[in-house]
């Protein structure tokens, strides 16, 4: 059983259901950014996953990183550093951020979480980013 | 071969060498906070680790979370949420933060990274936190 938190749903766009996680594009054009949400209800912390799920999660984090890099390449803003974070201070449902960073991005070198207001995608840009991510996942 | 970045060394206190990572206590009493640094030179991104190292890293992240919880308990400030992050925007050497958060902590619900200036441990407090962490790792 998997119910996506409404705030995660509102702030991101569906990309794909992977073996463990639902992958979503963060609706913020400032960074190539995917969010992975393990598709099981009631999860808050990493240690609530089974060992084999944790290994799978690590693999999905790596492919999400490749997808994020692909989105950055197409936008002619190649990723210089991946940031991976599981915070959950605002939305408790376990979710993992995979964000592509550049030294000229607005929040660099600070974290992206909570940094100013998101800048939404245009419809075509969003569709292109989702397609790119899907091809990598 | 393992050489610790000098900035990581200066901002944290040695706790233990685990199978993969060196575990260090972040020298900031505002949060129970461990840093895991895989003990191999030249690493910047998670995908530079071998698959078996990634699985081991995930296990070390979980035990670091238990150690962080233990530090919070003894300080009578039980952890409400773990934050796990691999950023590396300031220090490139691959390192993973495991931080205990509470809804009454100074940066809540924002991230801790870059939040104001660190508040150092007293010598006794630091020794107690290191001993607690060692007992859990």
């Amino acid at each position: 059983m998997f119910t996506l938190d409404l705030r995660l749903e509102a702030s991101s766009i569906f990309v794909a259901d992977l073996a463990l996680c639902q992958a979503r594009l963060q609706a913020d054009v400032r960074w190539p950014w995917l969010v992975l949400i393990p598709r099981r209800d009631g999860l808050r912390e990493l240690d609530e996953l089974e060992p084999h799920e944790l290994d799978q999660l690590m693999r999905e984090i790596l492919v999400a990183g490749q997808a994020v890099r692909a989105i950055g390449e197409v936008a002619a803003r190649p990723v210089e550093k991946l940031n991976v974070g599981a915070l959950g201070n605002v939305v408790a449902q376990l979710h993992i951020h995979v964000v592509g960073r550049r030294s000229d991005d607005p929040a660099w070198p600070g974290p992206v979480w909570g940094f100013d207001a998101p800048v939404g995608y245009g419809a075509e840009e969003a569709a292109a980013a989702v397609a790119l991510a899907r091809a990598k996942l």
Side-chain angles (χ1 to χ4, degrees), chain A residues 1-136:
Chain A
M1 181 68 185
F2 172 58
T3 314
L4 183 64
D5 180 277
L6 291 176
R7 287 159 297 179
L8 290 179
E9 185 164 14
S11 61
S12 63
I13 300 159
F14 176 80
V15 174
D17 278 331
L18 311 179
L20 177 66
C21 295
Q22 182 166 114
R24 301 180 65 89
L25 177 73
Q26 183 80 3
D28 189 337
V29 78
R30 296 177 296 172
W31 295 284
W33 181 344
L34 293 178
V35 183
L36 299 173
I37 307 110
R39 294 187 287 121
R40 184 145 68 75
D41 277 349
L43 296 171
R44 292 183 70 242
E45 298 280 5
L46 292 171
D47 63 5
E48 296 162 7
L49 291 169
E50 303 295 328
H52 72 277
E53 291 175 318
L54 287 164
D55 295 346
Q56 179 62 27
L57 176 62
M58 193 56 102
R59 273 147 199 70
E60 295 183 4
I61 288 170
L62 295 197
V63 294
Q66 292 168 4
V68 159
R69 287 187 189 282
I71 297 170
E73 290 292 337
V74 164
R77 296 183 52 76
V79 168
E80 296 172 9
K81 185 72 192 71
L82 291 170
N83 284 185
V84 177
L87 287 84
N89 307 336
V90 176
V91 173
Q93 183 173 35
L94 182 62
H95 60 287
I96 297 90
H97 301 276
V98 182
V99 191
R101 305 298 307 274
R102 289 172 54 87
S103 50
D104 63 358
D105 79 35
W108 183 270
V112 297
W113 303 287
F115 184 83
D116 286 355
V119 178
Y121 276 90
E124 272 184 46
E125 283 172 310
V130 165
L132 271 168
R134 252 176 221 158
K136 288 283 178 186

